[in-house]
Amino acid sequence: MITELFLKGRLRQELSAAEKSVIEQSISRTITLGPRETFIDAGQRLENSYYLVEGQMLRYVDDPRGVRQLVHISVPGDFVDLHGYAMKRLDHDLGTLTECTLAEFPHEALSAMFAGSARLMRAMWFSTLLDASMHREWIRALNGLNSEARLAHLIAELVERMRLIGRFDGRALPIPLLQRDYANACGVSEVHCNRCFSNLRARGLITISRGGRLEVSDIEGLQQMAGFTGSYLYGGSSLDLDVMQDA
Amino acid sequence: MITELFLKGRLRQELSAAEKSVIEQSISRTITLGPRETFIDAGQRLENSYYLVEGQMLRYVDDPRGVRQLVHISVPGDFVDLHGYAMKRLDHDLGTLTECTLAEFPHEALSAMFAGSARLMRAMWFSTLLDASMHREWIRALNGLNSEARLAHLIAELVERMRLIGRFDGRALPIPLLQRDYANACGVSEVHCNRCFSNLRARGLITISRGGRLEVSDIEGLQQMAGFTGSYLYGGSSLDLDVMQDA
DNA sequence: CGCTGCATTGAAATATCTCAATCAATGTGG
DNA sequence: CCACATTGATTGAGATATTTCAATGCAGCG
């Protein structure tokens, strides 16, 4: 079931079978994209939102100078542009990292879904709040950590997010980011990023990193260096839909 | 009317008189806080959300080392912790910068409001999405701009946000941030922040900055240096509640 | 074999931090 | 009114962090 990962990674709580079914039925179609493709440009008017079933996507802004700045990395189970439902446009570009499978939700279908269930609307709202929470944590990392610790933080977050959806085997991070991508995300030059990788390797925290393959040998070490705790990924606690009762 | 600024700064569109009234009636009380007070600690369980009527508030995380990192600055018209409605806790601390007046919305009252109007729920959802949008822009600034341009960006954003709610007179930024605060927000040391201020002054972009008073002499210059456009403050366009029709 | 894309290394140039001191305004007690 | 303490802004200078430019290494691929 397509919604499975959404529940795992984002909501961490069961929706009822009926609710899952409503979500599934709002999908108009499923599409596949190749790796490193542009999908949505900033500013473009949107009629659909997309849920990432498989693969990873990048949310980025291209600098006037041509420098690409990653603002977020999406993994399976994420709605990649649910904020486009309320905003109608994105403030950033959206493209694929790997080959991706996306489920399309027409905004009309979402409106219909929400009209029938305030609870589902809250669940979706909550899931967009997690983005903001991740953004804040990343601002914190950019503000307070040096480049090596930032890199450690990024790796630790990706590992944890993959682990939450059952995609981490305890060793290799199954996301083929290039060192350039890590650099673009951490806001450092590619060269310096490479030196940070070397340092992390020298400390025994990671192992290889060739051809987009990165092995994590000491996740606790990474987390500690970065002051990482995953709590911001869950909204502090789990979503408590029942506390948000209908009056 | 208390909601006036919410509409100006966040929604930029009229809600109906009835809707405004519903919002106003959900306020349980109004409270006042002194300057530089802690209001909500990270992790604390929340039963209310607060709307900032007057003053400015800071959202920050205190480093283990004791360094304070600002993640957001709230101005009148902002719900300072609306995400606490869905999350039930904050991932950061919340405190005042100046004396503040806050309107309290019990989460129960919000639930009642939303049960009666999906449109209002969307308006509130939208307003939290603007936070995420501002966060992304700030990530972009931290990643791609040097410290001087970051400072210019921060000033330009605050000016624009105050202007949106009619609180900018074309000269002085009416927010008494210390250089330490700017430094904490920009992720630079206080000393270096001071040098950035000197540079901006030397370029003729700002004038004085003493006792928390900062005069903007060339807002276009600031914007240009920072690559600032205010579009992310409005969600790319204005909220189009009518597009989000009930099915 | 000779590309091409990505990772790595070296070294000089900048940006930023840290520590320490000074300055300017403001407030407080006598 | 003066002496002194406090807070925030400013300056200097050496230490680190990071960037930039340029070159090299390394693997897959036609």
Side-chain angles (χ1 to χ4, degrees), chain B:
Chain B
M1 178 163 303
I2 282 179
T3 51
E4 208 50 52
L5 293 180
F6 180 55
L7 298 170
K8 274 195 199 170
R10 289 278 169 156
L11 302 189
R12 297 177 57 241
Q13 176 171 340
E14 291 300 314
L15 294 175
S16 72
E19 284 169 329
K20 289 183 198 174
S21 167
V22 168
I23 293 177
E24 301 274 335
Q25 284 164 15
S26 301
I27 298 170
S28 56
R29 63 181 178 136
T30 298
I31 62 181
T32 302
L33 299 170
R36 301 276 177 181
E37 278 184 18
T38 299
F39 181 47
I40 296 177
D41 287 317
Q44 172 182 337
R45 176 132 196 124
L46 305 175
E47 306 292 344
N48 305 290
S49 285
Y50 295 86
Y51 168 87
L52 183 55
V53 179
E54 205 57 61
Q56 293 97 40
M57 298 190 80
L58 305 176
R59 291 157 69 173
Y60 53 86
V61 179
D62 283 325
D63 214 74
R65 292 169 305 175
V67 181
R68 170 158 301 187
Q69 317 211 25
L70 296 187
V71 294
H72 191 78
I73 297 171
S74 300
V75 304
D78 291 346
F79 268 92
V80 291
D81 60 347
L82 185 53
H83 49 306
Y85 168 70
M87 300 279 222
K88 292 304 163 200
R89 7 183 78 80
L90 300 189
D91 49 17
H92 54 264
D93 297 325
L94 179 61
T96 59
L97 170 63
T98 63
E99 176 173 304
C100 287
T101 306
L102 295 165
E104 179 179 279
F105 288 79
H107 288 172
E108 286 182 4
L110 290 175
S111 290
M113 185 197 305
F114 297 153
S117 167
R119 201 158 167 278
L120 278 177
M121 188 166 179
R122 283 177 194 131
M124 295 290 173
W125 183 359
F126 178 84
S127 98
T128 63
L129 289 175
L130 284 182
D131 284 342
S133 186
M134 289 185 228
H135 293 336
R136 278 191 292 274
E137 176 67 12
W138 192 238
I139 287 172
R140 213 173 73 73
L142 289 169
N143 263 352
L145 303 179
N146 62 23
S147 52
E148 193 182 345
R150 286 209 292 268
L151 182 56
H153 193 293
L154 177 57
I155 295 170
E157 174 179 316
L158 291 174
V159 163
E160 178 63 6
R161 289 171 66 199
M162 292 308 270
R163 203 184 57 74
L164 281 176
I165 57 173
R167 299 293 173 89
F168 181 61
D169 61 7
R171 272 295 175 187
L173 179 66
I175 303 180
L177 292 165
L178 302 178
Q179 290 198 359
R180 175 175 311 134
D181 298 313
Y182 285 102
N184 290 343
C186 292
V188 298
S189 70
E190 194 174 339
V191 170
H192 190 61
C193 188
N194 176 272
R195 291 186 166 116
C196 292
F197 269 111
S198 300
N199 290 343
L200 291 181
R201 217 161 7 186
R203 291 175 197 269
L205 302 179
I206 61 175
T207 317
I208 318 171
S209 134
R210 186 116 213 153
R213 181 172 180 79
L214 190 155
E215 300 226 343
V216 177
S217 28
D218 181 0
I219 182 65
E220 284 85 7
L222 284 175
Q223 293 176 343
Q224 188 178 354
M225 161 176 277
F228 176 91
T229 56
S231 63
Y232 67 94
L233 295 172
Y234 331 125
S237 60
S238 60
L239 169 62
D240 194 346
L241 281 178
D242 296 324
V243 170
M244 299 193 294
Q245 304 231 327
D246 289 11

Side-chain angles (χ1 to χ4, degrees), chain A residues 155-157 159-160 168 205 216-224:
Chain A
I155 295 169
E157 174 180 314
V159 164
E160 178 64 5
F168 182 60
L205 302 180
V216 177
S217 30
D218 181 0
I219 182 64
E220 284 85 7
L222 284 175
Q223 293 176 344
Q224 189 178 354

